[in-house]
Each structure stands twice: as C-alpha cells, then as structure tokens.
Amino acid sequence: MHQHNSAVRDAILRKLRRAQPAQPLPLPDLRPYHAGPWGQGVAESASGLSLMDSFERAASGWRAQVHRTSTRQWAETLRNVLQRHRCHRIAMGPVVFGLPGMDDALRGRHAITLERPVDEWRGLLFDEVDASITLATAGIADTGTLVILPGRHEPRALSLVPPIHIALLRASTLH
C-alpha cells in the first residue's frame, strides 16, 4: 500500500512540475484592496453581482478564466467551455452531477461520478479524465480566490489532479 501511495504522489508532483509556468507569476497587487473600504475595515455589504468585475480581474491575474452566465444559461455556457477545451471525460462528485441542467451540459461527454472510495478511482483521475467540475462554496472578490470545501462528496483531488478544473460559483456567494 505504501508503494502505491508513493507512486501516486510522484505522479502528482511530476504533473505539477510540468505545468509550472516558464516564468514566475507576478505577485498580486494588493494595494487597491488595502486602499479600499474592505482593506480599511469600513466597507458596506455589497451584492455578488457588484463584486464580479473585481473577482474576474483578480482571478485572471492568476490565469483563471471566468465565464459569466445566468441561471438559465449556465448549462449551455458549461457545454461551450467543455467543447472549446476538448474535454470528453469529466469527473465530478454526485452533488454536481445531480444539478438541474447538468445532463444538458454534459451531452455527448462521458461523466464520471466519484462516489466510490478514492483507491478505486485514483488511477482513472490521473490517466483518463480531461476535466473536473466542483462547486465553490464562496469567492473572495479582491483576490479572485475560490473557497472550496472538499470532503467525501467532492474529494480535494478533483480540483488538483485533472488538467482542467471548472468551479461553479454563484455570484451571490462572492464576498
């Protein structure tokens, strides 16, 4: 068992090293945050929609792509993103798989729901999955950070291992 875990760890590290950018990413500029009302501790509560520009700007600083969509159009947007990136084998937890509209978003693709113990699907995740989809619990607009709460329903490996990770985030959960 220990050798298997070591081999898996080595595979993860090799994959991460290959994905490193040719040059270091710039450090985020936190001056706007510190100069603004949130950084000074005097901000009023803002709506998620009003925070989207800030979130998108900050997230793009660490090479994330943000695709804005509506509740009615999210499945079509997701389908287009998967098509654009040529993702055919998609891994997700059972909660994401059960979202209304997910069948439409995944049409023509192979969905893999990770409901079994991790040892049963670890190799599949490393070797065969093109992308994963998880739910983000919240987002931090000033830094473009996603808050993801992994667990049995959505293992952490889903957001770390596949070459493409798609996080579904509701604007109402931006802070």
Side-chain angles (χ1 to χ4, degrees), residues 115-127:
E115 300 178 80
R116 301 178 320 266
V118 67
D119 288 338
E120 293 181 26
W121 52 259
R122 185 180 289 137
L124 178 78
L125 195 61
F126 275 94
D127 301 329

Side-chain angles (χ1 to χ4, degrees), residues 92-100 102 113-115 135 153-154 168:
M92 66 199 76
V95 172
V96 172
F97 185 70
L99 290 175
M102 188 57 79
T113 57
L114 305 178
E115 300 178 80
L135 293 176
H153 65 288
E154 250 181 22
L168 303 177

Side-chain angles (χ1 to χ4, degrees), residues 11-12 36 43 66 72 76 89 91 96 108 125 136 145 152 154:
I12 291 171
V66 176
R72 287 191 315 258
E76 181 180 343
R89 293 179 61 89
V96 172
L125 195 61
T145 301
R152 241 184 58 241
E154 250 181 22

